[in-house]
Amino acid sequence: MTADPVAGRPGPADRTRVFSGMQPSGAVHLGNLLGALRSWVVLQDEADCTYAVVDLHAITAPDEHDPAALAPRTLDLATTLLAAGIDPDRSVLFVQSHVREHAELAWLLNCVATFGELGRMPQFRDKSAGRDASVSVGLFDYPVLQTADIILYHADRVPVGEDQRHHIELARDIAQRFNHRFGPTFTLPRAMLPPVAARVMDLQEPTRKMSKSTTSERGIVHVLDAPDAIAAKFRSAVTDSDGEVRADREAKPGVTNLLEILAAVTGGTVEHAVAAHGGGGYGALKAAVAEAVVEHLRPVRARHAELAADPAEVGRVLAAGAERARAVAAPTLARARDAMGFLAPA
Ligand code: TRP
């Protein structure tokens, strides 16, 4: 680990700092769990981790923002993160809007980020395509808020999916520009992308990533789905007609997805999965994957039920998390304000 160029960064300088966030935009699915969340849990063993439920990001698309659903979804995502193994004794877990420094730093960074670079972000271009007049400024500015999230905690590493790579590169550019213009203030972050095998595809359209914006609910397995619902979804998973159990992403995306999910939840490899199930038919493979997924999710579901029975306790965990987050974020913001030349309040 190279020496930290930013003086005043809290904690041991040789520990990697990790930050990541997840939007409270609906139930967590197997793609979230095996992609992002599993690496969040594992990273706790080797790094100082800070994880946020990014509710401020969840209001950037007006058609997805339901005020009545926002708070329950935020609480439920936090509950699911805890159930899946985020350990509040080792990591900081909090709700983004509870730490005001995020919104304030985002404003300062708005005056460093450029219109051009934000306009080039592929995610913005996709989401805004053909609707310039009705897209919120918040959607355009989304990556700047994300930058603030990351650099408030001096994160070196940001575990995210491939779709976030440009946002993390932008965060690095903005942090670097700030340091150059106003003096060394922020650590420059880098993305940590999951291995390809962590990409879970839709069960009905196996060439598409599993995502909440799916066309059919049957294509998506939620972490809290009941066992018989999970079995039914795998039973109806789309495969192909050649009948051979082997992995080939191009020619056999459905069967390959099943094999990869099986490998991911059993901790084995796709080769193992083929060796174990290559002799059988698709029906037997689907049953085996469903059973392995149900077993993998069983403890998460049980823990979620326990935690959900005591929402006040989850609230206390989040309040303590916000306080710990603020203890890092507030001095970082103060340094940024100072570097930019603001009059300090008396
Ligand atoms: N944009 C991220 C996503 O949709 C969520 C996010 C918000 C995030 N702030 C972040 C991820 C900071 C990593 C770091 O997945």
Side-chain angles (χ1 to χ4, degrees):
M1 186 101 281
T2 53
D4 191 341
V6 180
R9 202 170 86 146
D14 59 344
R15 287 269 286 184
T16 301
R17 285 174 179 71
V18 163
F19 182 94
S20 199
M22 198 177 283
Q23 283 196 48
S25 49
V28 172
H29 57 68
L30 201 57
N32 304 130
L33 186 77
L34 299 180
L37 194 41
R38 202 170 46 155
S39 64
W40 291 18
V41 172
V42 171
L43 280 164
Q44 297 180 115
D45 294 333
E46 58 194 62
D48 287 341
C49 299
T50 304
Y51 298 123
V53 176
V54 291
D55 54 348
L56 295 172
H57 279 106
I59 63 169
T60 53
D63 45 335
E64 288 168 24
H65 174 201
D66 171 1
L70 185 57
R73 281 180 175 174
T74 300
L75 183 65
D76 189 60
L77 177 54
T79 306
T80 306
L81 295 178
L82 292 167
I86 300 302
D87 173 2
D89 291 330
R90 290 190 291 158
S91 303
V92 176
L93 175 68
F94 70 104
V95 173
Q96 183 192 33
S97 69
H98 294 177
V99 179
R100 310 273 166 126
E101 283 77 3
H102 291 247
E104 186 173 341
L105 181 60
W107 176 256
L108 303 188
L109 299 178
N110 275 336
C111 302
V112 175
T114 71
F115 191 80
E117 64 193 348
L118 291 180
R120 285 193 295 275
M121 287 292 114
Q123 188 166 314
F124 175 72
R125 294 170 69 105
D126 283 356
K127 290 198 178 180
S128 64
R131 354 181 260 134
D132 280 14
S134 61
V135 158
S136 77
V137 174
L139 187 70
F140 182 70
D141 201 31
Y142 180 116
V144 175
L145 179 60
Q146 184 166 351
T147 301
D149 296 343
I150 297 165
I151 69 180
L152 273 173
Y153 302 96
H154 302 291
D156 313 282
R157 294 284 170 178
V158 187
V160 284
E162 170 64 30
D163 62 332
Q164 294 296 311
R165 190 164 48 87
H166 292 99
H167 288 167
I168 312 306
E169 283 166 8
L170 178 77
R172 188 177 175 86
D173 289 346
I174 293 173
Q176 193 158 30
R177 198 176 307 142
F178 187 105
N179 288 352
H180 182 72
R181 202 175 289 169
F182 304 111
T185 307
F186 297 116
T187 301
L188 308 184
R190 260 187 223 289
M192 252 176 115
L193 301 177
V196 184
R199 280 184 76 202
V200 176
M201 311 305 274
D202 190 289
L203 298 185
Q204 291 297 315
E205 291 177 77
T207 52
R208 278 179 47 147
K209 225 177 79 171
M210 188 177 284
S211 141
K212 67 180 163 62
S213 53
T214 182
T215 44
S216 162
E217 271 299 305
R218 284 187 312 157
I220 174 168
V221 176
H222 295 108
V223 168
L224 302 178
D225 276 348
D228 53 342
I230 294 176
K233 286 176 181 178
F234 278 103
R235 231 177 290 122
S236 71
V238 167
T239 50
D240 54 56
S241 56
D242 84 9
E244 207 188 324
V245 174
R246 63 183 169 86
D248 181 338
R249 269 182 178 274
E250 298 292 312
K252 299 170 66 66
V255 172
T256 307
N257 189 35
L258 293 174
L259 290 166
E260 289 186 345
I261 291 172
L262 184 58
V265 298
T266 55
T269 63
V270 170
E271 290 70 41
H272 287 139
V274 174
H277 300 280
Y282 292 167
L285 174 64
K286 289 174 175 182
V289 182
E291 196 190 317
V293 168
V294 166
E295 284 317 310
H296 186 72
L297 296 180
R298 191 184 300 285
V300 181
R301 211 166 161 246
R303 181 90 181 104
H304 182 280
E306 259 172 57
L307 291 162
D310 189 0
E313 174 56 21
V314 177
R316 282 190 290 275
V317 168
L318 293 174
E323 197 172 318
R324 287 168 66 198
R326 219 175 285 121
V328 179
T332 310
L333 177 65
R335 286 166 56 98
R337 290 172 50 119
D338 195 46
M340 291 181 97
F342 287 102
L343 174 67

